[in-house]
Amino acid sequence: MTSRLIQSASTLHGLDCAATLPRRIGALTAHEGLMLEVAGFPMPLGTNVRVATTDHKFIGGEIVGFHGDRSLIMPFEQNASLKTGARVVAHSSGGNVACGPQLLGRVIDAHGAPLDGGAQITSRCYWPLTGRQSNPLSRGRVTRPLDIGVRAINALLTVGEGQRVAIIAGSGVGKSVLMGQMLAGSDCDVIVVGLVGERAREVSDFVETKLPPHVRAKSMVIAVPADHPPLLRLRAAMRASAIAEYFRSQGKRVLLLIDSLTRVAHAQREIGLSLGEPPTMKGYPPSALGLIPRLVERAGVDRESGGSITALYTVLADGGDVDDPIVDAARAIVDGHIILSRALSEKGLFPAIDIAKSLSRTMVDVVDAEHLRAAAHVRQLWSTYEENRDLLLMGAYSAGNDALLDEAVARRDEVHGFIGQAANAKVDFATSRAALLEAFGR
């Protein structure tokens, strides 16, 4: 008897019994709006699943909520052929993102699959999709300027390494051109771009025109067009942030661009309303507004690795409404904002930056006092002119009554000329500072 037990034990040795454990299979019971309701499938939130279709294929999805003892799944594909009772099986946890230098120069989708026709990307390096919780004291201060290649920003709205900046603009005011100019002129090690909710045509246009070869070699792009389900649009922004966090943990200086934060919030709004959240301001549920600080706070300086994520988030101000809930929430959490003016754009000024309404909260820590004084003087001239524009247009002001206003009027074209810059031109930080001090230093 003992010999038989020993023989049985030796026979079973080396078998992977975990792989033979029974799998839990759920059954599709309802399809309402964007959600699938599944019975007999008590799996954790965030679990990736596969749902059988009537044509003997599978579509992917993710568990995003619960309704009693039933799981709510949002599919990755729309208009799939489904029927009640369809099998639902767990596919993976979906909680980790493949990272590494293999991503540089590539264009991928929300799942990490290549869109550029290249080989499948394999990596042994992973990072949590939702990031890692960190001690606030492990975040370093923003103390070093980052050359962004745009004179007006380098001189008047200086960006620091690890700063989070919102670029707020309506449609058609030169936002995309400015983003391309900043990417091409930035002094960083890695560039991570998340194109979320863009038109498919604009994705290929961005890759071909905004990323020249020397920039694309250190860049990677995650693209999810507007016609994709909201969950994929949301995951694209989270994947871009996760990849940027991985490179920061390697001590790299990373430039992260999310275009646009508004469409990420729109995706969360669709998900939240489908889950039954109550709408608040302009139809946004609480989760849509709460998503913005969770996403933005993932950028910054890491004291332990010495790396940094300088983040640029574009925010759409529909109709020029800078008091939109998303604009207001973004402006409250970032370290600075750049507002593009339609009025300036219509006058042919590029970049159409409204200097008086734009702000860099970290500029005081990254430039010297002389630089600060000169930049403040330009802002003062700009604000003084705008405050008295109506008086000047009506001819109600007489020169000589206000020396500052006289200077603002006399130097208006000079200020515009300093801000203006050709789309294909690059002006480094040192040159921008020298030009500012020469023209407006005291």
Side-chain angles (χ1 to χ4, degrees), residues 22-208:
R23 290 192 303 165
R24 188 178 293 277
I25 299 178
L28 181 62
T29 58
H31 184 186
E32 189 172 343
L34 299 175
M35 294 296 171
L36 306 179
E37 194 169 298
V38 181
F41 200 65
M43 303 297 285
L45 279 174
T47 300
N48 280 10
V49 302
R50 300 177 71 194
V51 183
T53 63
T54 57
D55 54 357
H56 307 292
K57 297 180 180 179
F58 288 90
I59 63 170
E62 180 181 320
I63 296 179
V64 295
F66 306 107
H67 187 197
D69 60 351
R70 302 194 175 187
S71 298
L72 300 178
I73 294 173
M74 179 164 283
F76 294 147
E77 300 178 30
Q78 297 174 334
N79 304 320
S81 178
L82 300 172
K83 68 177 182 180
T84 184
R87 288 190 305 128
V88 180
V89 296
H91 182 52
S92 67
S93 65
N96 291 320
V97 172
C99 301
Q102 300 90 336
L103 293 171
L104 299 181
R106 303 301 301 273
V107 182
I108 62 176
D109 64 11
H111 298 299
L115 295 174
D116 52 11
Q120 194 71 26
I121 300 172
T122 59
S123 175
R124 294 183 179 180
C125 303
Y126 292 91
W127 194 267
L129 181 67
T130 56
R132 294 176 178 171
Q133 194 71 31
S134 62
N135 187 330
L137 295 181
S138 67
R139 289 293 175 87
R141 296 179 60 235
V142 178
T143 57
R144 294 182 297 182
L146 177 69
D147 185 3
I148 216 71
V150 180
R151 180 173 54 236
I153 298 176
N154 280 339
L156 305 175
L157 303 166
T158 309
V159 175
E161 287 185 17
Q163 184 174 350
R164 292 84 53 86
V165 181
I167 302 176
I168 303 171
S171 57
V173 295
K175 171 173 58 67
S176 297
V177 179
L178 177 60
M179 288 189 304
Q181 194 173 24
M182 295 172 74
L183 292 178
S186 62
D187 179 21
C188 60
D189 301 321
V190 176
I191 297 175
V192 180
V193 180
L195 301 179
V196 183
E198 293 286 349
R199 292 180 286 272
R201 176 193 61 80
E202 291 184 339
V203 173
S204 58
D205 178 76
F206 184 93
V207 173
E208 294 175 11

